[in-house]
């Protein structure tokens, strides 16, 4: 089996591993990832693109590792031929450690710091995606000081709205990202002052979890038009980075992005420009490939609400409270005899916001019973914190019948490491 499926007895498995066994061996809460699912997603996207475009003109799929930056996930995708999109010096180091060649790494971010820019240039990064007119000077001066050329793309803000939530929409005029279309020529002019800046072209990213059919198409058309105009003015565009944002299904009726239509838009709108194409998918590769495995502490019954209190909390997975995001929540052992009833599913953190779901129908769970919070492979562990002095959860990777602890649970000692009490306290 690949990914998360139930056997005939109703037990939830990750690939061929019973999640009861994972909990027994590694404890809870624990993130569990299916390597086969992640690899399958990569191949699915690559397959849809190559069906349209053939193998030669295939875009470079730079995995946006902010979604899940564990070294094992990076290595897995690198082995399949992926490139990498990074947004910080830390992510860059992760990419290098996982074995990505620097030319296959692109760096974005509205506030790249001098040390991050310098390191990226020194290692020979594939491109720095520049997010503002102001940043051109930062990158220009550093590359001149280092006397090392660097490829740059200007991130265009296409003023297209798209994305699953206000907080993850990035391509509108008043969002902090990118350079507006009417200032791109100014960007070229500024960058031409630095002989170490190789202007390769443009990049964009409209938003995340984009279901609106046509948002991609609209943005692609806008950027294709801009490329044609720039070229007619003698401004070079040889690379086009069209970002990420492919959605996954969090609920059954979410459906799925029609990859074939997406591939067709890329082929029909972008390919004719004759550019090297880069993409930056994050969530699509890993989102449905992970769960947060948690255990029932108790069911607290009040006259108003039945609270299913589990040992995972908002510090482990913040998406439900931060974005009102829906995650399917299911017992590891399904029992069809038991009637699902409404529960508030909550963690132990001292905040009402520490709620994974409200009035969610779920079969009654006994104390100690295991529960899975589904689709937690993207923006799960990477957004976890130590709030309430809770150690970060463990992470486990599964492939077929194999499973491995890929990050141990954080202990109290790990958590306070580096904390000091001044002698004068
Ligand atoms: N490229 C750029 C420049 C981005 O800003 C992002 C995501 C991606 C690629 C990858 O987008 P994806 O394919 O994963 O949608 N924490 C939020 C999502 C924030 C996304 C930020 N940027 C969440 O949990 O939904």
């Amino acid at each position: 089996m690949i990914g998360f499926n139930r056997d005939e007895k109703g037990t939830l498995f990750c690939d061929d591993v019973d999640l009861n066994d994972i909990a027994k061996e590694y404890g809870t809460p624990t993130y569990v990832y299916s390597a086969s699912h992640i690899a399958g997603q990569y191949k699915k996207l690559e397959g849809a693109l190559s069906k349209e475009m053939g193998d030669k003109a295939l875009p470079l799929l730079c995995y946006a590792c902010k979604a899940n930056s564990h070294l094992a996930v990076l290595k897995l995708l690198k082995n399949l031929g992926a490139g990498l999109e990074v947004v910080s010096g830390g992510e860059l180091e992760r990419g290098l450690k996982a074995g990505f060649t620097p030319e296959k790494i692109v760096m974005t971010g509205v506030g790249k710091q001098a040390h991050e820019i310098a390191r990226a240039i020194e290692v020979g990064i594939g491109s720095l995606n520049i997010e503002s007119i102001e940043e051109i000077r930062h990158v220009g001066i550093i590359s001149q000081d280092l006397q090392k050329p660097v490829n740059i793309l200007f991130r265009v803000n296409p003023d297209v709205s798209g994305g699953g939530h206000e907080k993850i929409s990035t391509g509108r005029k008043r969002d902090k990202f990118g350079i507006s279309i009417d200032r791109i020529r100014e960007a070229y002019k500024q960058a031409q002052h630095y002989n170490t800046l190789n202007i390769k072209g443009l990049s964009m990213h409209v938003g995340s979890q984009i279901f609106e059919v046509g948002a991609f198409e609209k943005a692609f058309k806008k950027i294709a038009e801009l490329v044609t105009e720039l070229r007619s003015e003698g401004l070079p565009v040889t690379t086009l980075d069209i970002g990420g944002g492919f959605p996954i299904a969090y609920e059954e009726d979410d459906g799925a992005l029609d990859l074939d239509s997406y591939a067709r838009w890329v082929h029909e709108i972008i390919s004719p420009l004759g550019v090297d194409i880069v993409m930056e998918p994050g969530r699509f590769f890993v989102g449905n490939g992970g769960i947060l495995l948690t255990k029932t502490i108790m069911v607290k019954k009040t006259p108003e609400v039945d609270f299913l209190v589990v040992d995972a909390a908002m510090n482990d997975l913040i998406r439900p409270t931060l974005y009102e995001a829906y995650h399917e929540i299911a017992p590891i052992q399904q029992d069809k005899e038991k009637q699902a009833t409404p529960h508030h599913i909550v963690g132990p953190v001292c905040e009402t916001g520490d709620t994974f779901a409200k009035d969610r129908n779920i079969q009654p769970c006994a104390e100690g019973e295991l529960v899975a919070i589904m689709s937690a492979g993207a923006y799960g562990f990477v957004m976890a914190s130590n709030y309430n002095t809770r150690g970060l959860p463990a992470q486990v990777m599964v492939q077929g019948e194999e499973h491995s602890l890929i990050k141990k649970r954080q202990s109290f000692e790990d958590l306070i490491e580096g904390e000091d009490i001044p002698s004068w306290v």
Side-chain angles (χ1 to χ4, degrees):
M1 290 195 289
I2 288 184
F4 297 92
N5 297 288
R6 292 192 186 274
D7 70 357
E8 64 290 346
K9 289 193 213 114
T11 310
L12 191 64
F13 277 64
C14 178
D15 286 13
D16 299 320
V17 180
D18 184 335
L19 286 159
N20 289 295
D21 295 338
I22 298 283
K24 230 176 266 162
E25 189 153 346
Y26 307 108
T28 55
T30 292
Y31 276 96
V32 186
Y33 308 123
S34 160
S36 337
H37 175 90
I38 296 171
Q41 290 294 99
Y42 181 88
K43 288 179 194 155
K44 222 191 242 179
L45 179 58
E46 193 184 52
L49 292 165
S50 81
K51 203 167 85 190
E52 279 292 328
M53 313 168 70
D55 286 342
K56 267 197 231 123
L58 267 191
L60 177 62
L61 302 180
C62 287
Y63 168 54
C65 73
K66 61 182 79 69
N68 183 334
S69 57
H70 193 287
L71 291 171
V73 173
L74 301 193
K75 180 87 186 287
L76 178 72
L77 289 164
K78 187 219 75 154
N79 288 346
L80 292 166
L84 199 67
E85 186 254 0
V86 302
V87 292
S88 69
E91 286 189 353
L92 174 60
E93 296 307 329
R94 280 183 175 277
L96 297 171
K97 198 166 176 74
F100 284 88
T101 49
E103 309 87 76
K104 283 176 108 172
I105 303 180
V106 301
M107 183 184 263
T108 59
V110 279
K112 298 178 204 77
Q113 299 174 68
H115 67 92
E116 297 173 315
I117 295 170
R119 174 76 173 144
I121 296 174
E122 268 162 1
V123 301
I125 197 160
S127 76
L128 281 176
N129 295 357
I130 298 214
E131 300 247 10
S132 59
I133 303 285
E134 293 75 6
E135 192 173 45
I136 297 169
R137 183 171 49 84
H138 291 204
V139 176
I141 291 173
I142 295 170
S143 64
Q144 274 187 345
D145 285 351
L146 293 171
Q147 295 190 351
K148 195 159 178 201
V150 60
N151 296 333
I152 59 167
L153 302 177
F154 298 120
R155 177 166 175 184
V156 175
N157 181 321
D159 198 21
V160 171
S161 163
H165 189 272
E166 160 69 20
K167 289 183 183 150
I168 58 175
S169 193
T170 54
R172 301 159 303 180
K173 260 208 172 127
R174 289 179 61 84
D175 294 332
K176 67 178 176 177
F177 300 97
I179 303 170
S180 63
I181 289 184
D182 52 10
R183 297 192 73 190
I184 290 292
R185 288 154 184 93
E186 190 184 339
Y188 271 83
K189 215 187 220 167
Q190 292 293 331
Q192 280 159 351
H193 291 140
Y194 303 91
N195 60 5
T196 44
L197 299 184
N198 294 330
I199 307 174
K200 288 285 184 183
L202 308 174
S203 81
M204 68 167 183
H205 172 76
V206 180
S208 211
Q209 192 60 3
I210 299 179
F211 270 116
E212 302 90 333
V213 186
F216 285 115
E217 189 189 13
K218 195 167 160 198
F220 289 175
K221 284 193 170 148
K222 259 194 175 177
I223 204 149
E225 209 174 289
L226 178 62
V227 170
T228 312
E229 279 174 26
L230 293 174
R231 282 177 171 167
S232 72
E233 296 162 33
L235 301 171
V237 181
T238 52
T239 301
L240 200 51
D241 177 342
I242 54 179
F246 313 91
I248 59 162
Y250 282 96
E251 307 188 46
E252 238 172 72
D253 39 339
D254 268 351
L257 172 73
D258 177 3
L259 277 187
D260 293 335
S261 301
Y262 179 84
R264 203 165 337 107
W265 291 327
V266 176
H267 188 50
E268 284 173 6
I269 306 169
I270 308 292
S271 295
L273 300 169
V275 285
D276 292 331
I277 306 171
V278 176
M279 289 183 195
E280 303 172 353
R283 184 188 325 258
F284 181 77
F285 290 158
V286 291
N288 292 136
I291 63 156
L292 178 54
L293 182 60
T294 179
K295 192 173 70 188
T296 305
I297 297 176
M298 71 184 75
V299 179
K300 171 177 169 176
K301 288 184 184 260
T302 69
E304 292 78 24
V305 183
D306 287 353
F307 293 95
L308 174 60
V309 188
V310 295
D311 65 1
M314 64 187 282
N315 74 296
D316 303 303
L317 177 68
I318 202 169
R319 301 194 72 258
T321 189
L322 188 58
Y323 312 120
E324 287 88 41
Y326 181 99
H327 284 257
E328 197 188 320
I329 302 178
I332 298 303
Q333 189 58 55
Q334 202 174 45
D335 184 347
K336 291 226 167 88
E337 307 282 281
K338 289 188 186 159
Q339 170 87 32
T341 58
H343 289 76
H344 283 12
I345 303 170
V346 302
V349 158
C350 288
E351 263 196 49
T352 302
D354 183 23
T355 299
F356 290 118
K358 276 188 182 159
D359 295 315
R360 183 73 65 81
N361 279 325
I362 184 167
Q363 84 185 31
C365 289
E367 288 183 12
E369 219 176 305
L370 296 170
V371 171
I373 305 179
M374 308 298 292
S375 305
Y379 307 109
F381 184 87
V382 286
M383 295 178 79
S385 77
N386 287 128
Y387 190 36
N388 277 205
T389 301
R390 289 169 50 90
L392 296 177
Q395 295 180 90
V396 169
M397 185 175 265
V398 174
Q399 181 160 270
E401 290 179 352
E402 282 190 73
H403 50 92
S404 226
L405 182 67
I406 56 172
K407 175 98 181 179
K408 75 174 174 57
R409 184 176 311 288
Q410 198 177 29
S411 67
F412 175 68
E413 282 68 32
D414 297 333
L415 200 151
I416 57 163
E417 205 204 320
E419 263 183 51
D420 217 357
I421 302 174
S423 59
W424 40 265
V425 167

